[in-house]
Structure formats: structure tokens, C-alpha cells
Amino acid sequence: MHNGTLLAAVDLGSNSFRLEIGRFAYGHIQRTEYRKETVRLGSGLDENRNLTPEAMQRGWDCLARFGERLADFAPSQVRAVATQTLREARNRQEFLARASEALGYPIEVISGPEEARLIYQGVSRLLPQSDERRLVVDIGGRSTEFIIGQQFTPHAMASFRVGSVAWSMRYFADGAFTPEAFRAAEIAAKAVLDEALDTFHPGAWSIAYGSSGTVGAIGDILAQAQVCPSDVVTLEGLHWLHERLLRAQSAERVRLEGLKDDRRAVIGGGLSVLRAIFELLQIEQIQVAQGALRQGALYDLLDREQPDTDLRATTVRGLMQRFAVDAAQAERVARTAQALFLQAIPEGQASAARELEWAARLHEIGSLISHSEAHRHGAYILDNTDVPGFTVPELHRLGLLVLGQRGKVRKIEAELHNDPHLARQLLCLRLAVALCHARREPDMLGLTLQAHSSSHHLSTRPGWAAAYPQSAYLLREEALAWQKTPWELLLELS
């Protein structure tokens, strides 16, 4: 990444969509532009967890405006992430298809733990360096994240389905502020968050920080009223705000300096969740942090540019250890698959080659459960795990490659039809698995793979097929497997 490069992050939150643009210089990112629009996507989920047409349209319109600003950015300079509302929405694919088109860049739905990791990255990057044990709390529209970490490293992360939008809709739907409504909201929040006590108890951290909208909004109100110092929220301050909301009796009648219109409808839910957290974790005061998810996404772009610091590589190694993967075989298959892929697609596919390497290293992840169905179990594990660094679509893509490594190719033909890169990755993985069948280094001398529009041509040196008859047989079987798809594998075995 060159000094002066502009980077952009788009955060599709449950209450607001945010665009952060920063300039990279000497290891740091300096904000140059920030835009925020109140979309309230989270309040557009109906009783069947489908986004309403009106909510989707608000989101598309906002992203089109963001997209116009980002029109000149390269794909490697932009990261767009979506959180709890789109994790929940049953019709999220319908929304995401038009949303990505409107923005001009792919949108990643990230898991709760991944959201927590990025939040911590954003908060820690904008704090002074210190060895303090930090608790970071982020109350979003439909989820709340807790993280404990030191410096830039998170040590414990959790995400809970409680937030300002969800709690406002559930307990303050009519806009009325009553003692009974606050009591019910806080009891419910503590019931959801209660399991956090095991990990995030007061002895596990020394100072608490709050990021994102709810803590920032309450901090602004308390600072304007001179109840708390700037950028600090105290327990006494929360009690003061609680009394003011009860006096007002409804959101429409609240008159407080610092309360912005876009926060008015969700202030009751946000306050009730924050009061529950203070009581549950015995917090006396919380510092208002400047960093948040979007800054974490920006710094993660930098890490992804450097393979040595890409957290996803560390996560893959962790998964291999957890599921007792044969590391030597995984390394052989990964090296062979990458060699074939880079022969066929020599330029401009570094990210795809890296993705293929990860899939190859994880191709036997399901073997701990069942050898004969390892590919199916491996795909299930990747589709249903929360691990740092990877988004939900990235894990699903790795799962598709693991699922397709053996058996009929047609089981994932629909995905292959729309994605030629996935087809080539899968072909190279399947060829590598075949060539490494004896669990020793394959003889690749003179073996070449060439790619054409919808076909691939694999050839060997003279005498190779006679020297390795089982490998030659498996390659012929592989060619037959691809005959029933839009892709073709042509063999020239000598």
C-alpha cells in the first residue's frame, strides 16, 4: 500500500449506514471524509424476518449515493460490511444483489465475532498505546459486542442479539417512556447478556470503552448538560438521563441538547441496554471511544494486502490444529493446487490463488468426523463456524471448494456456472487431490495446465502415465466428471 492511497469502508448498520474515507500514510489512516445516513434497516424486519420493500429501498438509495462518491476507487481500496440485520434477514440475498450493484462493490455479511474483532481494531487504533486491559462495548441497532484486549490484540470476543433498535421496537414501540417499560427492557437485556459474565467479569479488564452510536449519543447528551465530562459516561449520568426520559414520558416530548433527531426514536432502547450492561458488569464509568467498526475495516484492508499479517492465514492454521488435519498432506495439496492454478491463470489472481491455498489446507477438515463423507462434513464446518478474519460469504466459498473436491462436480454446478474463477479453483483442487493420492510429493515435471474460455488442457511429459498408472487413471476419471458440466478437461497423457 503506497503512502497517499485513499481507502474507504462502508458500514451497513441496523440503524445507520456509514461511509468512512481515509488516506494511508506511514502505517496510519487519516480520515478525509465521513458520511452517515439514518436508514433504519433494522426496523424494516417484519415478523417473518424479511426486510420490507420500503426498508430495502432506503438502503439501496443510500448506497447509490455512497457509490457515486466511490466511483473512482479500485476494488482493493473499498471494504463494505453488513451486520446483524442482514445476518437475520431471510431475504438478504435479494437486498444484497441490488445493494452491491448500487454501491459498485461487493458487500460482505460478517459474523458477530468478526464484527467484534473489527470493532476492537477500530477502537484500539485510535487509542494511545498502553498495556491496559480494555473492555470494549459496542451497542448497535440489533446486536451488542463485547471485547477484551490489550494494545491491538483482542483476547475474548462475543456478540449478543440485543440492541437499540430492537429494544426500542420491542419495549417502547408506542414511544411511551414508563418505569415499567424500562424495567422490562433492562431485565430482558440482562437475561440475554448474562452469559457474558463468565468471560467479561470486572476482574478481567481495567478500563471500559464504548464505541459506536448508542454510547456516543448518550455521551453527547450528558456532556451538553454538563452532567459528565466530555467523552465519559458515568452510572450517575445514566440515572440522570433515565429520569429526564421518564419526565418527558415519550420520545417526541424529549428536549435535550445533544440529542439528534436520528437518535430520538431509539434512545429508550439504547439507554435501557446500556444501563443493563453497567449493572451486569459493575461498570462505574465508560470512556467514549472514537474508533468503531468502519475504522477496523479500513485497517483490515491493510492487513489483507500483506499475506504475512493476514489474520485469515492464522485462522486457517488454527482450524487445521483444532480438527487434527494432516499438515504434511495439506501442504502438498495446497502447493500442487496453487502451482496448477498459477500455470493456468498466471497473472492478476493472487487473491484467488491464496483462497485456493486455504481451501486446500482445509480440504480434510471433516476427516475427524468421517473419512468417507469428509468433504460434506468439512463444508458443513466451514458454513457453520465463526472464526476471525473471514466473512460469511468467504467461509461459504471455501466450503463449496471443500464440498466439491470429490464426487460429482454437478452438486455445485449452479455456483460454478456463474463464477469461472470458482470453477478453475475447484478443478485445480480436485487435480491436486488426485495427484497427491499416495500422500507423497507428486511428480510435476513436465505436467502443464492451460486454461481457455470454458475448457482446460492438461498434458504430461512422455512416459509419465506409464510411471504413475494410478495417477493417470484418476486424471481420466476426473476428465469424465467434468464432461457433465459446462466446463471441459482435456487430457494429453503420455
Side-chain angles (χ1 to χ4, degrees):
M1 190 70 66
H2 302 294
N3 287 327
T5 300
L6 286 176
L7 300 171
V10 180
D11 170 9
L12 283 71
S14 298
N15 192 52
S16 303
F17 285 8
R18 294 175 169 88
L19 168 63
E20 180 96 7
I21 299 176
R23 189 179 303 278
F24 172 73
Y26 304 104
H28 298 281
I29 299 172
Q30 182 66 41
R31 174 191 281 183
T32 62
E33 193 171 339
Y34 171 61
R35 298 184 184 184
K36 172 187 170 184
E37 293 194 21
T38 303
V39 176
R40 297 238 168 82
L41 197 69
S43 63
L45 277 177
D46 64 21
E47 63 274 9
N48 297 316
R49 289 194 291 130
N50 284 312
L51 289 168
T52 64
E54 296 79 13
M56 289 196 290
Q57 191 62 56
R58 291 196 301 270
W60 293 331
D61 291 345
C62 172
L63 292 170
R65 290 187 284 272
F66 286 178
E68 182 179 352
R69 175 63 185 87
L70 298 175
D72 296 330
F73 281 63
S76 61
Q77 295 172 257
V78 179
R79 187 167 186 202
V81 296
T83 55
Q84 184 62 36
T85 294
L86 287 170
R87 288 198 287 267
E88 290 185 51
R90 296 183 185 276
N91 59 342
R92 68 169 175 249
Q93 292 305 327
E94 178 187 351
F95 173 79
L96 288 171
R98 272 189 65 180
S100 296
E101 183 179 353
L103 183 63
Y105 302 90
I107 297 170
E108 307 166 355
V109 179
I110 57 176
S111 68
E114 175 65 0
E115 181 179 356
R117 184 186 73 84
L118 291 177
I119 288 166
Y120 186 81
Q121 288 299 318
V123 169
S124 63
R125 291 286 184 170
L126 273 68
L127 287 174
Q129 284 300 288
S130 166
D131 286 331
E132 64 191 13
R133 289 173 298 147
R134 297 164 174 161
L135 167 69
V136 175
V137 175
D138 186 297
I139 303 172
R142 296 187 73 90
S143 71
T144 292
E145 281 69 44
F146 291 166
I147 312 99
I148 288 176
Q150 284 183 287
Q151 297 187 354
F152 297 144
T153 304
H155 297 305
M157 298 169 287
S159 179
F160 301 91
R161 289 176 62 173
V162 52
S164 61
V165 173
W167 252 236
S168 294
M169 292 174 63
R170 187 175 303 177
Y171 298 100
F172 306 97
D174 57 0
F177 293 144
T178 66
E180 294 76 19
F182 271 105
R183 191 177 303 113
E186 290 169 27
I187 289 172
K190 282 186 282 189
V192 174
L193 299 169
D194 186 59
E195 64 181 89
L197 263 178
D198 291 340
T199 302
F200 302 93
H201 57 84
W205 49 271
S206 57
I207 186 167
Y209 292 92
S211 68
S212 199
T214 294
V215 175
I218 292 175
D220 287 344
I221 294 169
L222 298 179
Q224 289 278 356
Q226 298 185 341
V227 174
C228 294
S230 179
D231 295 331
V232 175
V233 174
T234 65
L235 183 59
E236 292 77 11
L238 295 183
H239 293 334
W240 177 89
L241 180 55
H242 178 242
E243 287 298 321
R244 292 304 180 277
L245 296 188
L246 288 176
R247 286 184 195 177
Q249 297 184 332
S250 70
E252 292 75 12
R253 296 175 59 183
V254 174
R255 298 293 179 266
L256 289 169
E257 291 293 325
L259 176 59
K260 298 177 182 177
D261 287 340
D262 66 330
R263 278 284 149 189
R264 184 177 298 276
V266 297
I267 189 65
L271 177 61
S272 62
V273 173
L274 188 54
R275 276 165 54 94
I277 292 171
F278 263 64
E279 182 176 342
L280 191 69
L281 300 185
Q282 301 174 37
I283 298 172
E284 291 295 325
Q285 70 174 36
I286 194 166
Q287 304 287 324
V288 179
Q290 299 305 308
L293 172 62
R294 57 191 182 277
Q295 285 87 4
L298 286 177
Y299 278 99
D300 207 50
L301 276 173
L302 298 181
D303 291 340
R304 288 184 169 205
E305 285 289 305
Q306 307 295 328
D308 292 341
T309 61
D310 193 330
L311 178 62
R312 293 173 294 180
T314 303
T315 293
V316 168
R317 289 194 293 271
L319 286 171
M320 289 173 62
Q321 292 175 358
R322 189 190 311 173
F323 290 95
V325 169
D326 181 340
Q329 177 68 357
E331 172 67 22
R332 277 190 291 270
V333 173
R335 189 165 49 245
T336 304
Q338 276 196 304
L340 292 168
F341 187 79
L342 293 175
Q343 276 187 13
I345 315 291
E347 296 180 357
Q349 295 298 327
S351 61
R354 199 184 325 166
E355 188 175 61
L356 173 60
E357 177 195 353
W358 294 330
R361 290 184 183 279
L362 296 173
H363 80 283
E364 291 187 333
I365 193 174
S367 296
L368 190 65
I369 302 170
S370 165
H371 176 73
S372 61
E373 295 293 316
H375 57 305
R376 299 188 187 278
H377 292 299
Y380 180 85
I381 290 169
L382 291 170
D383 263 331
N384 292 276
T385 190
D386 287 332
V387 289
F390 285 102
T391 65
V392 174
E394 285 175 332
L395 287 170
H396 179 64
R397 189 179 176 90
L398 292 182
L400 286 175
L401 289 169
V402 170
L403 176 64
Q405 68 175 287
R406 67 164 78 159
K408 296 179 180 178
V409 181
R410 296 186 66 183
K411 59 178 172 281
I412 59 170
E413 185 177 345
E415 289 84 355
L416 298 178
H417 183 74
N418 298 317
D419 191 341
H421 290 318
L422 181 65
R424 292 191 175 105
Q425 287 172 316
L426 181 63
L427 174 68
C428 292
L429 177 59
R430 289 173 64 100
L431 289 174
V433 170
L435 289 167
C436 297
H437 69 92
R439 306 186 85 80
R440 61 172 178 263
E441 204 68 31
D443 184 353
M444 300 285 287
L445 183 63
L447 194 150
T448 60
L449 180 67
Q450 295 177 314
H452 305 289
S453 58
S454 61
S455 65
H456 298 79
H457 183 240
L458 182 69
S459 59
T460 65
R461 70 177 188 271
W464 186 93
Y468 306 103
Q470 178 64 15
S471 295
Y473 169 79
L474 292 173
L475 292 180
R476 294 187 186 99
E477 289 293 300
E478 188 62 22
L480 292 175
W482 286 89
Q483 281 183 354
K484 299 177 181 180
T485 75
W487 305 88
E488 187 177 22
L489 175 61
L490 304 173
L491 297 179
E492 187 178 336
L493 304 182
S494 303

